[in-house]
Amino acid sequence: MPALKWGLIGASDIAATRVIAAIRASGGDVVGVVSGSPERAGDFAASHGLARFTTDLDELLGWDIDAVYISSANVWHYDQAMGALGAGKHVLCEKPLALEAAQAEEMVKLAEETGLILAANHHLPGSPLHAKTRELVAAGTIGTVLSAKIAHAVLLPERLRGWRLGQGTPGSGVILDITCHDASVLNPLLGTPVAVTALAVRQAEWNTGGQEDAAMTVIRYENNSQAPVLAQTHDSFTVGYAGTSLEVHGTDGTIQVIDAMTQDTQGQLVLTTGSGVRSVDVDCSEDLYVIGLRAFTAAVDGTGVPTATGRDGLMALKVALAAQESATSGRTVHIN
Ligand code: NDP
């Protein structure tokens, strides 16, 4: 397959720090970028060796490109993805896919109708540690799954304390940012999410935007063949010294993944059963974003599937939106 030619929508931190390198490592060619500001577009193109830049999305969509990577602020994802799909481009869109489930559904439908690939850039389900966890669970290694727990409380880097923290800024807040990632891991592991209860608060003194920066959520999963499963997540922008982890508890054992929820691949998987405690070997040598980009490229080529399809992105969004609604209303929210 010839190199996939990419346009970047958004002169973002995540494109600069992770995704441009991952596109290149997956054999792709990054043609150029569109940004809302001509100065930022030009500086970004110069710093990353991109041949073209513009402030006009239609101009970018008119370039000789096959795919776009959307990493603008969350509020823009839906319009930009619909525009790109409408122009015949494959779309790798950052999470959350949109701000409403109906919008994400429209995106999925348009991609299906046009035969284009739409994927959500959820990097965690592609992690070899998470893939191994799913494999162990599916093989019945820990028996019937009862519950899961994600610790994903981190300190938001100073350079990212902008739109994410604006109270009333569409697409802001810890739930759309982090709980959405947790759901991308839990959904393929536990079945269908059906109900969500959450509490969210504002904690950090530096959070002058006023949006909630810490949340705890409980999700009920159903699975035709077994009793309901409960999952619990702790997500925060305010915790500086905790590690991240995933625990999955079953009738015959527990899987513990240490450093499970970071941008880096490395971590440790520990399996505890009646036979004792053992570390399970997992090859963590490949970058998580490169794994995602390779999977996307294979999907375009017709030889694979994305790490997180558009539908996976939609389901993760549904969980996050339900958590947000629950945190606001004080009630449990049911997912259709
Ligand atoms: P940034 O804040 O870096 O970028 C988002 C947008 O903000 C850019 O598109 C840019 O707009 C604008 N912007 C950036 N820098 C400036 C600046 N100095 N002054 C004014 N505007 C600026 O966001 P992130 O990279 O943190 O996040 C982008 C998306 O990626 C989000 O949807 C987020 O959820 C997702 N994300 C995903 C991660 C993952 O691991 N999958 C990790 C981190 C983020 P313009 O395009 O107009 O220049």
Side-chain angles (χ1 to χ4, degrees), residues 123-124 127 129-130 149-155 178 181-182 185 232-237 239-247 255-270 288:
H123 62 295
L124 290 165
S127 154
L129 294 161
H130 292 295
K149 220 160 92 173
I150 282 184
H152 201 166
V154 295
L155 190 65
I178 303 187
H181 270 314
D182 301 345
V185 166
Q232 180 188 0
T233 70
H234 175 200
D235 302 309
S236 146
F237 290 152
V239 174
Y241 302 97
T244 69
S245 63
L246 164 71
E247 290 174 13
I255 296 166
Q256 228 190 326
V257 186
I258 298 157
D259 293 334
M261 310 296 293
T262 77
Q263 292 186 304
D264 299 311
T265 318
Q266 285 68 30
Q268 202 192 343
L269 197 157
V270 179
L288 292 182

Side-chain angles (χ1 to χ4, degrees), residues 12 23 26 29 32 41 43 92-93 95-96 121 126 136 142 157 176 229 232 247 253 258-259 279 283 286:
S12 69
I23 290 175
S26 71
D29 177 22
D43 289 351
L92 176 60
C93 184
K95 40 53 69 171
N121 196 35
L136 291 169
I142 60 168
L176 279 179
V229 175
Q232 180 188 0
E247 290 174 13
I258 298 157
D259 293 334
S279 220
D283 177 0
E286 194 167 31

